[in-house]
Amino acid sequence: MSTVERLAKMIDHSILHPTMTDYDLEHECAVAAKYNVASVCVKPYAVKLAKQFLKDSEVLIGCVIGFPAGNSAISVKVFEAETACKDGAVEIDMVVNIGKVLQGDWDYIEQEIDLVTQACHKLGAIVKVIFETDYVVKKQDIIKLCQLCTKVGADYVKTSSGFGFVKGVDGRYSYMGATIENLKLMRESSGPCVKIKAAGGVRTLDGLLAVREAGCTRCGATATVAILEEAKIRFGDK
């Protein structure tokens, strides 16, 4: 496998913006197939369509749950995950209940991650747990989440949804997404069986290489074409 092919297999091609239509979904699935990325990450309603569009490719189908704010009841997240799996998703990216994390209700968070993970594993899917590190900013909270994900057997810990916008004092919204500092902390705080996914703000080849160096094996991206075309120029067939 060439360097470009290995980098492509790090990418979960995100097709999640609220304004995206089914026509956009079809186009972006074609992009994912062309570059043979690891997976697409789609909205729950779109799983069946994405499976149809990618039926002749090796690209896996991923789906977001409790997205993007993480506010759904646990039973709803479980049902949503089970529905996505039955529709054809084999990777589930679930947003934790952010408010419960911030108030330190760790029993609730452990139950939530555990029940969704169990449901997905029974149906043959893996689980990526989204922390939303633009909101969950304290190191001790990130460490605790990594420990709980390790305890219950989640497959990945993930930085962000891509939509965790923070309102500043000037009234404008900003977004940080994945940072190298947080990715290294997540790698250090998670068990060896838990993998790390970066999401949010990785838009260049250098950005993808940096998160790989920090310990990531997956990265959510919308700039897939730009990243991999740059990789072709830099690495060629290496």
Side-chain angles (χ1 to χ4, degrees):
M1 185 179 288
S2 70
T3 299
V4 175
E5 290 170 331
R6 287 195 295 272
L7 291 173
K9 286 303 182 185
M10 281 187 65
I11 293 176
D12 293 342
H13 187 55
S14 299
I15 315 174
L16 296 170
H17 197 277
T19 62
M20 283 183 158
T21 66
D22 292 349
Y23 300 108
D24 295 316
L25 176 70
E26 184 173 14
H27 175 268
E28 296 302 326
C29 283
V31 168
K34 175 182 177 180
Y35 289 92
N36 197 22
V37 298
S39 79
V40 290
C41 194
V42 304
K43 307 168 192 175
Y45 90 89
V47 172
K48 287 183 179 180
L49 274 175
K51 185 178 181 181
Q52 177 183 328
F53 294 146
L54 290 165
K55 63 183 179 182
D56 297 321
S57 81
E58 299 175 357
V59 178
L60 302 174
I61 309 298
C63 178
V64 290
I65 298 299
F67 195 85
N71 293 327
S72 303
I74 294 174
S75 59
V76 174
K77 288 183 180 179
V78 170
F79 176 78
E80 194 174 19
E82 290 174 337
T83 300
C85 292
K86 291 173 183 176
D87 284 346
V90 294
E91 303 197 347
I92 297 296
D93 292 41
M94 180 201 77
V95 186
V96 296
N97 187 309
I98 297 161
K100 289 288 192 180
V101 171
L102 296 179
Q103 73 186 56
D105 191 346
W106 299 117
D107 289 340
Y108 183 99
I109 293 297
E110 180 176 346
Q111 182 185 31
E112 175 179 73
I113 299 171
D114 186 27
L115 290 176
V116 172
T117 299
Q118 285 185 44
C120 293
H121 285 178
K122 285 179 182 177
L123 292 169
I126 67 169
V127 178
K128 304 168 196 166
V129 181
I130 301 172
F131 294 178
E132 201 63 272
T133 50
D134 274 64
Y135 298 147
V136 179
V137 297
K138 293 181 180 178
K139 287 185 177 180
Q140 60 264 36
D141 289 341
I142 295 172
I143 291 170
K144 182 67 174 180
L145 281 168
C146 289
Q147 291 171 341
L148 291 180
C149 288
T150 301
K151 179 180 178 181
V152 305
D155 302 280
Y156 280 81
V157 292
K158 175 180 171 183
T159 54
S160 317
S161 68
F163 296 89
F165 300 104
V166 178
K167 188 174 184 179
V169 293
D170 60 356
R172 299 191 179 198
Y173 287 87
S174 62
Y175 182 69
M176 183 69 69
T179 67
I180 299 302
E181 180 183 9
N182 280 336
L183 292 170
K184 287 181 177 178
L185 178 64
M186 290 162 73
R187 180 64 281 164
E188 293 167 0
S189 305
S190 301
C193 293
V194 179
K195 299 176 182 179
I196 314 299
K197 177 177 173 178
V202 181
R203 300 184 182 93
T204 64
L205 174 59
D206 285 336
L208 182 63
L209 295 173
V211 300
R212 183 177 69 170
E213 181 66 24
C216 294
T217 57
R218 289 286 188 92
C219 179
T222 56
T224 300
V225 174
I227 291 170
L228 294 178
E229 287 298 326
E230 187 179 356
K232 288 180 182 179
I233 293 170
R234 188 179 304 184
F235 299 113
D237 294 329
K238 295 180 183 177

